[in-house]
Structure formats: structure tokens, C-alpha cells
Amino acid sequence: MLPAASVGFVPTMGALHDGHMSLVRAAREQHDTVVLSIFVNPKQFNDGQDFSSYPRDEAQDLALARESGVDVVFMPDSDEMYPAGFATSVSIDAHLTNVLEGAVRGQSHFSGMATVVTKLLVTVQPEAAYFGAKDFQQVVVVRRFVTDLGLPVRIVSCPTAREPDGLVISSRKVRFSAEQRRQAAAIPAPLTPIVTAVEAGETDTSVLFEAGAAVLHQQGLDIE
Ligand code: PAF
């Protein structure tokens, strides 16, 4: 039984899309109040260019939030999140953060994300916080520091939202050229046999991975 005024929280960096809306819908079903935050967190970008070109559309975000039934939008500015002299960070062991995405973006990406998510959770104090399974490693890291720090919140991971052709929905995709969008459509298909094999209990997917990588290379895609 949830407390009467249960708060569900959806943390975002804005540029809201159907993936975020699916998190809002999941929260809406479970809570009296849904809070959504919009903050493009400078501390989790390893590349300054990626930060400055991250898509931002405040008016559209607010309209979408309103339409989808969000009750409160929390939109702090940088000084509010990182007051002068800010000297604290949440750091997670390397075995979770310098592999997979961390191997490419650097461990500081996950530390920056963990620091801001901790601050947001402490500020909003939700009963549950909703994250997309799209960012699988992020969900693993969030569950870890929430447990380790004893933060009183339930972490809910929601299924990845996809376009009709199977491509994951992502804020950054607005930067694709038409050609890049066409190439990206090749990404989901080679993943399917890997998922099927893992679900059937396979633990060594290296052969399937190499085959999938070859398909993507043929489409002109490099894998990080
Ligand atoms: O997934 C995101 O959009 C961000 O990493 C998050 C959780 C909002 C923290 O900045």
C-alpha cells in the first residue's frame, strides 16, 4: 500500500520524447503526484561539444509535460544544483563504471550522473523514481548507489521505447542527417539473435556479436 500522497519522479535532461512519456505514464499509474525534472547536467558530459549541442526546447518540453499529466516540473539552473564552491561527488567503483559505456565516456560520466541523481532524489523525495532500460548501465549504477547510500526510494526500470523500425528513441537523434538515420535503422536487427541466445541461457555471445558487428560495418557503422 503506497502512502496517500505518493510521489513518482521522472528525472530527465529535457528534449522530451515518447520514451520519457512512457516513464511518465508508468509513474502516473502508480502515484498521486508526478514530478519531472529537466536539467542538462554538465557534470555527466565528457565532451563539451556534446553538452553545448544537446537539444534543448523548454517551451515544447513544458507543453508535453502538461499534456502527459505531469503535476510538477522541476527545472533548476546550474547554480542551484552546483552552488559556488561545490566540492562533492558520488563516485562508483570502476568495475561498474569503466566498462561498457564507461569505457568510452569515462568513469566521470557515471560519477556526474550519480551526483546529480542523488541531489535530485534528496530534493524531490519521491517514493519511486523511473528510468528507461535504454540506459541499462545507468539503471545498474543508480540501483547500486541508492542501495549503498540507503536512499529511501524505489527504482523502477521501464522497457525501452522504440520507433516503428525498432530504433531506440533518443533525444540526440535530432542531430542525425537523413543518411545517418537510414544507417541507424540497421542497429536493432543484429541485436535480436543475441537477445534470443541470452534469454535461452547462452553466456558466450562473442560469435553472434562478431556476426552482428560485421553486418553493421557493412552499413558503414562503427561500434564503440
Ligand atoms: O538519463 C538521463 O536523462 C540522465 O542521465 C539523468 C538520469 C536525467 C541524470 O542527469
Side-chain angles (χ1 to χ4, degrees):
M1 199 52 186
L2 297 175
S6 150
V7 172
F9 177 44
V10 180
T12 82
M13 297 204 299
L16 299 181
H17 51 59
D18 284 351
H20 298 115
M21 294 306 115
S22 70
L23 303 181
V24 169
R25 277 194 299 276
R28 191 66 283 167
E29 279 172 18
Q30 299 290 326
H31 304 275
D32 305 308
T33 305
V34 175
V35 179
L36 177 137
S37 66
I38 298 176
F39 179 61
V40 185
N41 174 32
K43 287 198 186 292
Q44 72 186 73
F45 285 80
N46 54 313
D47 172 348
Q49 172 62 26
D50 187 25
F51 174 68
S52 49
S53 65
Y54 196 83
R56 292 166 172 87
D57 190 338
E58 197 178 303
Q60 180 168 309
D61 284 350
L62 290 176
L64 276 173
R66 191 170 289 121
E67 270 169 37
S68 62
V70 168
D71 298 293
V72 177
V73 176
F74 177 48
M75 230 170 13
D77 59 25
S78 221
D79 294 344
E80 200 173 345
M81 293 308 278
Y82 302 120
F86 191 88
T88 304
S89 67
V90 176
S91 139
I92 290 95
D93 280 359
H95 74 283
L96 288 177
T97 51
N98 71 2
V99 293
L100 301 172
E101 198 175 351
V104 179
R105 301 183 82 178
Q107 228 177 317
S108 63
H109 162 67
F110 285 107
S111 171
M113 180 279 292
T115 303
V116 85
V117 171
T118 302
K119 282 205 73 157
L120 291 167
L121 292 174
V122 167
T123 307
V124 176
Q125 300 189 14
E127 187 272 324
Y130 291 74
F131 293 83
K134 166 173 88 65
D135 297 304
F136 171 76
Q137 196 174 3
Q138 171 166 278
V139 176
V140 170
V141 168
V142 168
R143 287 195 197 284
R144 184 72 264 161
F145 71 75
V146 161
T147 301
D148 292 352
L149 298 176
L151 298 177
V153 61
R154 194 161 52 86
I155 300 303
V156 181
S157 169
C158 296
T160 300
R162 293 178 182 275
E163 309 263 355
D165 66 0
L167 189 67
V168 166
I169 301 178
S170 157
S171 302
R172 285 183 178 85
K173 83 170 195 287
V174 296
R175 295 188 200 150
F176 283 167
S177 65
E179 173 59 9
Q180 287 168 331
R181 176 63 186 82
R182 195 194 57 72
Q183 285 177 303
I187 295 173
L191 291 172
T192 307
I194 300 179
V195 172
T196 308
V198 170
E199 282 175 352
E202 182 58 71
T203 51
D204 180 3
T205 55
S206 51
V207 172
L208 287 169
F209 179 83
E210 291 308 325
V215 171
L216 296 183
H217 283 308
Q218 279 159 17
Q219 298 290 327
L221 292 163
D222 288 330
I223 298 178
E224 285 183 333

